[in-house]
Amino acid sequence: MSILDPQTLLAGMGPWALGGLTLMIFVESGLLFPFLPGDSLLVTAGLLHQSLGLSVTLIAFCAFLAAAAGDQVGFFLGHRFGRRWFRPDARVLKTAHLDQAEAFFERHGGKALVLGRFVPVVRTFVPLAAGTSGYVYRRFVVWNLTGAFLWAVGMTVLGSLLGGLPFVADHIDLLAVGLVVVSVLPIVVTALQRSHAARAEQRAAATVTKGEEVVGDRS
């Protein structure tokens, strides 16, 4: 089973589909592993809820609990350990991921806990950034529960509504692939932007160095 194919993943879990979905949402939200298909998993679960033998309400409720609990873990990890676990060259716990989340948090404040829910990678590290920055816990809980509810319930209900459309029902495979592409697109765009910015900085540094060499030759 591939985590990039939520339809196959959920179907392959059989009677454990709800438990597997709940665990994956919790891990993505709180255990600093941002490469799970949270968005596409919830939408696909909503699409396939009848074939999975699950109600939309149950899926949304379990996803909400997992997302909220995961963010709690992320906050306390940030409060306790801060940036000590992160390295620039790490495979998963990259300093760049935390920098991105902290910038997002500083720009949007507590609302970042809601907005970040809908952005892959960012939703994993924003609670950590909140804990690292010493954000007031009472406020964190309010925004955390709000974001977890809107995301978990919204994505699941969206999937169930789409499942009522004949075209969607007949092309679930294509939709699942499209959901994965949309989910990872922000990550790809961010990586390209950083690569472009790094090349621009290198060119600027090379131009400055070359200019200094020319001035030195003239003197």
Side-chain angles (χ1 to χ4, degrees):
M1 297 184 295
S2 171
I3 63 172
L4 296 181
D5 184 356
Q7 182 184 3
T8 302
L9 182 63
L10 289 169
M13 290 179 183
W16 303 101
L18 182 62
L21 180 147
T22 303
L23 178 62
M24 292 178 72
I25 295 300
F26 174 78
V27 169
E28 185 194 27
S29 301
L31 299 186
L32 309 184
F33 191 79
F35 307 115
L36 294 174
D39 296 322
S40 56
L41 193 64
L42 288 176
V43 174
T44 305
L47 275 167
L48 302 176
H49 73 276
Q50 291 181 331
S51 62
L52 294 172
L54 300 170
S55 69
V56 173
T57 301
L58 182 60
I59 295 171
F61 179 70
C62 290
F64 163 68
L65 292 181
D71 275 8
Q72 293 288 322
V73 173
F75 181 89
F76 284 115
L77 287 176
H79 181 72
R80 178 68 178 82
F81 298 103
R83 305 178 65 89
R84 283 181 283 176
W85 285 353
F86 290 79
R87 297 290 183 275
D89 56 349
R91 285 189 176 183
V92 177
L93 301 183
K94 292 180 179 292
T95 306
H97 291 330
L98 186 56
D99 289 342
Q100 179 186 5
E102 287 180 338
F104 195 85
F105 185 76
E106 289 175 2
R107 186 161 57 249
H108 297 289
K111 291 181 291 185
L113 293 162
V114 176
L115 299 174
R117 264 284 161 204
F118 297 86
V119 183
V121 177
V122 170
R123 68 169 156 262
T124 300
F125 294 107
V126 162
L128 189 79
T132 301
S133 66
Y135 191 65
V136 178
Y137 180 68
R138 291 190 302 275
R139 296 179 183 175
F140 169 80
V141 171
V142 173
W143 290 113
N144 171 32
L145 294 177
T146 302
F149 178 83
L150 292 176
W151 179 69
V153 176
M155 289 295 176
T156 306
V157 171
L158 175 63
S160 68
L161 293 176
L162 291 175
L165 302 177
F167 176 82
V168 173
D170 295 336
H171 299 85
I172 291 179
D173 292 343
L174 294 177
L175 180 63
V177 173
L179 288 170
V180 172
V181 172
V182 171
S183 296
V184 302
L185 188 60
I187 303 173
V188 175
V189 171
T190 299
L192 291 175
Q193 289 175 338
R194 287 178 177 170
S195 177
H196 178 74
R199 287 197 297 270
E201 290 178 359
Q202 290 176 352
R203 288 195 296 269
T207 301
V208 171
T209 301
K210 189 174 182 179
E212 291 176 348
E213 291 177 350
V214 170
V215 171
D217 292 340
R218 289 178 178 177
S219 60

